[in-house]
Amino acid sequence: MKNMIVGSLILSVQLVSAQERPNVIVFLVDDMGVMDTSLPFLCDEDGTPVRYPLNDWYRTPNMERVARQGIRFSTFYAQSVSSPSRASLMTGQNATRHRTTNWINAESNNRTPYGPRKWNWDGISKGTPTLPRVLQQSGYKTIHVGKAHFGRIGSDAENPRNVGFDVNIAGSAIGHPGSYYGEYGYGHIKGQKERAVPGLDKYHGTNTFLSDALTIEANEQIDKAVSEKKPFFLYMAHYAVHAPFETDKRFVDHYTDPSKSLQARAFATLIEGMDKSLGDIMDHLEELGVAENTLILFLGDNGSDAPLGDEKGHCSSAPLRGKKGSEYEGGMRVPFIACWAKPDGRNSMQRKLPIQAGGIQQQLGTVMDIYPTILSITSVAMPENYKIDGFDLTPQLLGRRNEIRPDKFLMHFPHEHRGSYFTTYREGDWKLIYYYNPELPNRPAYELYNLKKDPIEIHNLATTETERLIRMTEAMARQLEEEGALYPEDKDGNILKPVI
């Protein structure tokens, strides 16, 4: 009897402790680049945000609301395509280490002709100490809503519940929806049936747009977590704004510019629908009285796929060059904002993490940083003997510079896409792009840019800054080896490591 009482007291203390920790929402937008918003992220030399024409085209008032309440990063990197970024967010590791280096085709291995044979098409394994699993083991209710794309059909990661989520709404191996329309059953009734979104049958035949259905479901899960008196981790991963570019009719009247294509206008409605979801969730948190205790981290998973202009020009991410799947900044720069859902300086959690309201952080961050940041903020210990590549963003969220983190970022893509068989390596203001050449292995190509002087990547300095090129290529090669990278292979199966 005495042991039972002691056990009950310990459990009670653990539950109270758990309830005193913040709720966390990761609000992830598919294929949203840094310019797909009315909120400017790019800054001038003085750190002042600069508006560009695309900022005047889109309408994202709730992103602006989040930015007023918190801090945005002018330079935040993801991987250049979906699955690698999602695996990096879940694991805290670079794609070189977790080896899911390409987007995952659900049914067949999309290694591409010269890609590494042993790349991680399976995705995240059950035994990986993922972010949701570590939080789950520490008493958090872990909720997945929306797109997963963590692994192929038949893999552990096909079902998000296998990688640490208590609840899975609408997540599977698919990378985009069969349709956004409830009338089409999100692909089950009409559209691309092999990409039909699972688990939303009650909305089939209704006029509930997919982004709205997912928001309704997310708010219901928040209700349950609050009633259970458990802190929650909500991974709100919209299918928007991935193709198909179907019009969200709620916002069609906002985008009537005849100079824009119908697809570009439809894409803009997807952006605004996603933004409404953000506002709806924030309003719901406030109605429940838990907004002050809830941290929101907003980001995209790769560069923009807006149907504007050519793939490597200055169009969909203008003034940045390139788009999703490319080696240029427009392919991997994404929006990132952090805020408390309702700022309150008297709140004990917010006193521990007083996020700079209206702040702009110019020191870079990456998608790998989400894992250690959330564990730090929730006071959850890092798994033992587990290697991560990200950094805790906490100092940067306070508006400070983190002197510990190097100003470096490596993105490795040993596959074929809009940009093919490349590694990018940023060091300070300089960026190297190394192109492997599977057909002529001894003739790689190089591009070198000074992003401070040339942020739009038009002046290739590889032939004039040769000493810097060699030094950066050597540093890139060392990091690839340290992180266990897999490389492209030529037609005979020979591994193509960087040639210096």
Side-chain angles (χ1 to χ4, degrees):
M1 182 70 174
K2 182 179 179 182
N3 288 340
M4 288 178 64
I5 293 171
V6 171
S8 297
L9 286 170
I10 291 171
L11 179 60
S12 175
V13 169
Q14 287 175 338
L15 287 173
V16 170
S17 176
Q19 290 158 24
E20 289 175 349
R21 291 183 290 175
N23 308 310
V24 180
I25 297 176
V26 170
F27 195 100
L28 182 67
V29 188
D30 197 14
D31 285 0
M32 184 182 188
V34 71
M35 297 305 300
D36 299 334
T37 171
S38 58
L39 177 69
F41 283 84
L42 306 186
C43 296
D44 62 20
E45 291 184 0
D46 298 322
T48 303
V50 178
R51 295 194 69 81
Y52 291 94
L54 285 175
N55 298 131
D56 294 325
W57 167 240
Y58 296 109
R59 296 189 184 204
T60 53
N62 291 296
M63 286 182 66
E64 295 176 30
R65 169 184 174 187
V66 170
R68 286 193 300 271
Q69 295 180 190
I71 191 166
R72 63 189 125 153
F73 281 49
S74 63
T75 305
F76 200 89
Y77 285 106
Q79 312 291 342
S80 65
V81 289
S82 171
S83 301
S85 283
R86 290 161 194 269
S88 289
L89 195 158
M90 289 289 118
T91 65
Q93 296 179 338
N94 205 348
T96 43
R97 197 179 300 279
H98 62 63
R99 294 183 168 181
T100 296
T101 42
N102 198 6
W103 64 275
I104 292 173
N105 185 23
E107 298 88 0
S108 59
N109 189 331
N110 54 315
R111 166 200 168 208
T112 69
Y114 302 110
R117 298 186 200 303
K118 294 183 180 179
W119 83 283
N120 186 9
W121 177 48
D122 287 342
I124 302 168
S125 67
K126 241 181 197 178
T128 302
T130 61
L131 175 61
R133 187 172 309 286
V134 176
L135 291 172
Q136 181 187 58
Q137 291 170 346
S138 187
Y140 271 76
K141 181 166 187 177
T142 54
I143 305 162
H144 179 283
V145 177
K147 173 177 168 174
H149 209 199
F150 299 140
R152 63 173 176 83
I153 291 173
S155 71
D156 289 347
E158 178 184 8
N159 184 348
R161 295 191 66 178
N162 288 333
V163 298
F165 286 101
D166 295 311
V167 177
N168 170 38
I169 306 291
S172 69
I174 65 174
H176 67 266
S179 173
Y180 284 96
Y181 294 134
E183 297 92 330
Y184 294 177
Y186 312 120
H188 287 276
I189 299 168
K190 187 177 178 181
Q192 190 179 359
K193 292 193 176 181
E194 61 271 26
R195 292 294 178 267
V197 178
L200 299 174
D201 300 30
K202 64 185 176 184
Y203 301 101
H204 291 184
T206 73
N207 64 354
T208 311
F209 203 76
L210 177 58
S211 301
D212 206 28
L214 295 176
T215 306
I216 294 167
E217 292 295 311
N219 282 338
E220 288 182 1
Q221 291 300 323
I222 291 171
D223 289 344
K224 291 178 182 179
V226 171
S227 68
E228 293 166 7
K229 294 183 167 48
K230 292 187 72 174
F232 63 83
F233 169 63
L234 168 61
Y235 179 71
M236 181 68 191
H238 273 288
Y239 282 94
V241 291
H242 199 293
F245 303 134
E246 294 177 328
T247 300
D248 188 334
K249 298 180 180 70
R250 296 174 294 176
F251 309 104
V252 67
D253 291 342
H254 296 169
Y255 305 97
T256 57
D257 183 348
S259 70
K260 297 283 197 301
S261 70
L262 290 176
Q263 283 221 314
R265 286 181 251 173
F267 181 87
T269 68
L270 291 176
I271 289 283
E272 190 164 355
M274 168 282 302
D275 183 80
K276 181 180 185 300
S277 167
L278 176 63
D280 288 350
I281 290 174
M282 292 177 73
D283 291 345
H284 191 68
L285 293 168
E286 194 158 350
E287 289 166 6
L288 291 175
V290 297
E292 295 90 341
N293 299 339
T294 303
L295 177 73
I296 297 176
L297 302 178
F298 178 102
L299 72 159
D301 71 338
N302 49 243
S304 175
D305 198 31
L308 298 167
D310 71 273
E311 297 172 353
K312 295 192 178 183
H314 302 81
C315 302
S316 64
S317 302
L320 300 180
R321 183 177 179 184
K323 64 191 306 184
K324 170 189 175 179
S326 84
E327 61 272 43
Y328 299 107
E329 293 292 280
M332 58 194 80
R333 291 269 288 275
V334 299
F336 177 79
I337 323 170
C339 79
W340 291 103
K342 183 180 180 182
D344 182 355
R346 300 165 299 175
N347 181 278
S348 61
M349 296 178 195
Q350 295 191 33
R351 286 202 302 270
K352 291 178 183 176
L353 184 71
I355 296 174
Q356 185 184 27
I360 299 170
Q361 176 58 259
Q362 290 187 274
Q363 186 181 23
L364 67 78
T366 81
V367 69
M368 285 108 59
D369 301 335
I370 303 299
Y371 186 111
T373 301
I374 290 177
L375 293 192
S376 172
I377 291 168
T378 55
S379 301
V380 175
M382 190 73 65
E384 290 185 12
N385 303 315
Y386 180 66
K387 179 66 175 176
I388 66 165
D389 299 302
F391 291 84
D392 180 2
L393 290 171
T394 300
Q396 292 170 262
L397 300 184
L398 304 180
R400 303 170 189 160
R401 181 176 178 83
N402 184 354
E403 299 297 341
I404 295 174
R405 84 172 300 155
D407 287 333
K408 296 179 181 179
F409 174 66
L410 182 147
M411 210 287 290
H412 182 58
F413 190 77
H415 304 276
E416 189 174 291
H417 205 286
R418 287 168 175 152
S420 299
Y421 309 111
F422 67 85
T423 303
T424 67
Y425 178 69
R426 177 166 181 173
E427 185 179 84
D429 295 330
W430 291 85
K431 176 180 173 181
L432 165 69
I433 306 174
Y434 180 94
Y435 296 96
Y436 305 84
N437 190 342
E439 295 182 357
L440 296 169
N442 293 319
R443 296 179 60 183
Y446 309 83
E447 294 181 12
L448 183 66
Y449 298 99
N450 183 325
L451 294 179
K452 184 174 183 178
K453 295 180 179 178
D454 179 27
I456 62 176
E457 298 174 286
I458 58 174
H459 299 296
N460 180 8
L461 303 176
T463 58
T464 57
E465 292 277 349
T466 53
E467 288 186 12
R468 185 182 299 275
L469 177 71
I470 292 169
R471 184 177 59 75
M472 288 185 67
T473 304
E474 289 173 341
M476 177 197 78
R478 284 195 300 272
Q479 185 171 339
L480 287 167
E481 286 296 297
E482 288 166 2
E483 295 179 359
L486 298 175
Y487 301 93
E489 302 173 16
D490 68 14
K491 60 183 175 59
D492 298 317
N494 297 309
I495 294 172
L496 306 181
K497 293 189 177 185
V499 176
I500 301 171

